[in-house]
Amino acid sequence: MSRSIGRRHLAAMTLMAIGMTACGGEHDGGAPTAKAAVSQGTAQNARVLSQQQLEDAVVDAHDLPGVQVNEIGVGTKGVGNGVIHAVRRATDPSLCAPVSAAVDGASGYTPVGSVQRIAGTKSHSAILTLVSYRSADASRVMKELRAGLKSCKGYEAAGPGAMKVTFENVEATKAPPQGDEGLAFRLKWVAEPGEDGLRVPSSVAVIRHRSTLAIYKAISDSPRTPASIPSDLVNAQSKVLDAAVQTTS
């Protein structure tokens, strides 16, 4: 393995490891999209998936032939299995807090249940996070993220211990069409500051299925190649979640 490839691999693995917590907070947002506005009333009265129902809703080979789903931190210590909690650590600037939280699949609201896995096929994969929220919290998370993406261009956040994590080039992108509403963006994690430092491209998509959010995060292994979220994974997982939130009583 060359030194440059090794650095990129280490950076990507480090980014996955630190992506267990994020900053959260509330910000005033602009008007939601037409699709989101129509569905917010449904979200406020949506049935909430329990922890077990959420775990049962994780995509598997029956839903997507050839998919591999692995727990995060298997065989390691200190990483855990990706359980999501409400997070409230600060970002600089503060308006980027919802973006920082979304990178890690979290928000400033306490989930009812959550599950985080690495999922994909042999050719591509992503970090998959499913989070169920109470009542209208899911819509609030989307509203705050939408507002943050309008102004956030880059930020610094507190990482594990005294570590500082820096992201730059935050840019909203076209969201997948699934679910009740969706948001997507890309950014670069600055692993090595400086003009010639290592920057790891990442892409994030957040899709709301009633009161459950599905968050997909992909990490590129090349600083010159944008990260791509697997569309087949999004399609398959969306179908499973849609069925789960419609049949839950």
Side-chain angles (χ1 to χ4, degrees), residues 56 90 121 133 144 170 176 180 214 216 227:
D56 292 341
T121 63
Y133 286 99
E144 292 167 11
V170 178
D180 297 306
Y216 307 84

Side-chain angles (χ1 to χ4, degrees), residues 187-232:
L187 71 171
K188 290 184 178 179
W189 174 51
V190 183
E192 298 174 3
E195 185 176 347
D196 298 325
L198 178 63
R199 285 161 171 77
V200 183
S202 304
S203 292
V204 178
V206 184
I207 304 175
R208 181 173 66 79
H209 302 261
R210 296 193 180 181
S211 63
T212 296
L213 299 186
I215 302 97
Y216 307 84
K217 179 171 68 175
I219 303 167
S220 176
D221 61 359
S222 170
R224 295 181 176 85
T225 304
S228 178
I229 296 173
S231 59
D232 54 354

Side-chain angles (χ1 to χ4, degrees), residues 21-26 85-91 97 101 106-110 144:
T21 59
C23 303
E26 297 191 17
H85 302 280
V87 289
R88 304 188 182 280
R89 288 187 297 171
T91 59
S107 75
Y109 299 92
T110 301
E144 292 167 11

